[in-house]
Amino acid sequence: MDFSDAAFRTVGALALRGRVVGTERSGPGRTLVRGEVPELETGRYPVDLRSLSHGTGRLDRVYARHEALPAHLSDRMRGQRDSAANDT
């Protein structure tokens, strides 16, 4: 990835979902972007990454730790649970 283009878009998309831990060059024309994102926020990210990087990006996920769920995500989960309960 050219850092001035696809990596900036990738960092921006990652920052919307979680936090960017760092970036580093990983080879000629490639940038490694490290971030921490709640698992709930990773559902569409592989598709978004492919689009942002024009098919050249790669995603590796590793469990880091448990953390308290951010309020906006817990509200979303509660809403999904409640709508599923109302459907039955």
Side-chain angles (χ1 to χ4, degrees):
M1 275 190 275
D2 177 30
F3 194 79
S4 63
D5 188 24
F8 278 129
R9 290 192 310 264
T10 303
V11 167
L14 190 61
L16 291 173
R17 292 172 168 84
R19 63 181 155 245
V20 176
V21 176
T23 62
E24 60 189 71
R25 291 282 181 194
S26 65
R30 307 286 291 178
T31 302
L32 175 65
V33 179
R34 294 182 190 275
E36 296 179 345
V37 179
E39 187 172 357
L40 185 64
E41 289 286 311
T42 62
R44 274 198 50 83
Y45 192 69
V47 174
D48 294 342
L49 177 64
R50 182 176 297 265
S51 175
L52 292 167
S53 66
H54 303 287
T56 62
R58 192 180 94 196
L59 172 68
D60 294 321
R61 296 189 312 178
V62 177
Y63 172 80
R65 66 186 163 279
H66 272 76
E67 267 187 32
L69 194 62
H72 73 284
L73 294 179
S74 62
D75 292 343
R76 184 192 318 167
M77 287 183 71
R78 255 187 234 102
Q80 290 172 350
R81 181 196 63 205
D82 293 345
S83 69
N86 291 334
D87 290 342
T88 57

